[in-house]
Every structure is written in C-alpha cells, then in structure tokens.
Amino acid sequence: MAKQSPAKIKKLRGEAMRAAAARKAARAVSQNENVRGEADLDAYAEVDGPWREIGLAAPARRALIDEGLYKLSDLRKVSLDLVKDLHGMGPNAIRILISEMKKKDLSFRK
C-alpha cells in the first residue's frame, strides 16, 4: 500500500473529527432526560401506585420502575442483590420491601 499524501491525511483527519463531533452532538440530544436530572414525574406517577402504597420513597420507586418492576410480585423475578444495587435503593427501602414480601409470602430469586 502506498503512503498517503499529507493533504489526504489532513482531509481524512478532518472528516473523522467532524464525524466524531456529529456523534457527540447526536448523543447529547438523545440523552435520556433522567440522566440530566430532569425526571418526567408524571410518567412515574401513573405506574408507581403499588410502591407508593407500601411507603417507598420516590428514588426507590423510580429505581424499581426503571428496572421494569411495577408491583411486589415482580420482585420474585430478581435477586435481592440486584435490587440492592439499584441507584436509589437505600437500607430503609430494602427493609420495607422485605417486610412486605414476607407478609405476602413472597421471596426474591436465589
């Protein structure tokens, strides 16, 4: 393969830089609103009823909903470690979940 000319190298580098800038701009536009700290609270309010009833705080409710867990019986599909690792799940939320699951004779996946 022949060595590329300096002009060709400069042209390719410019194209690569423009493409990278375009990808970065597209990623910034398409970024989820939750990542930027602007949660759509109305969307959560429509589906967090069961979690609100048992007394979970808003960050814990949002974490469970983001993971696709909409009611207490959905927790049977996941392990306790996965729930503990969710952002927004604190010790109090874990205690509440375990207590409510014991009342309904449910358990986490092993």
Side-chain angles (χ1 to χ4, degrees):
M1 179 172 184
K3 187 175 178 183
Q4 293 180 343
S5 69
K8 179 75 172 184
I9 292 171
K10 186 176 180 179
K11 178 184 173 197
L12 291 173
R13 187 174 353 141
E15 289 173 357
M17 290 177 72
R18 282 190 293 279
R23 284 192 306 272
K24 184 177 180 181
R27 190 171 49 244
V29 169
S30 69
Q31 216 175 19
N32 188 349
E33 291 178 355
N34 293 336
V35 174
R36 288 186 268 152
E38 303 168 3
D40 182 11
L41 300 179
D42 292 335
Y44 287 108
E46 295 172 3
V47 293
D48 75 346
W51 300 128
R52 190 180 295 260
E53 289 174 9
I54 64 173
L56 284 180
R61 292 193 312 256
R62 287 192 298 264
L64 291 168
I65 291 168
D66 287 344
E67 192 64 27
L69 305 167
Y70 299 102
K71 54 189 178 198
L72 205 56
S73 62
D74 290 342
L75 293 174
R76 295 179 301 163
K77 303 174 189 173
V78 296
S79 69
L80 179 59
D81 291 333
L82 181 130
V83 174
K84 285 181 178 178
D85 289 342
L86 295 176
H87 183 74
M89 296 300 291
N92 189 43
I94 298 297
R95 277 193 299 273
I96 291 171
L97 290 176
I98 291 172
S99 149
E100 290 296 318
M101 288 182 77
K102 283 182 181 176
K103 288 179 187 176
K104 301 213 182 212
D105 199 28
L106 299 172
S107 63
F108 288 101
R109 173 178 258 172
K110 302 274 185 231

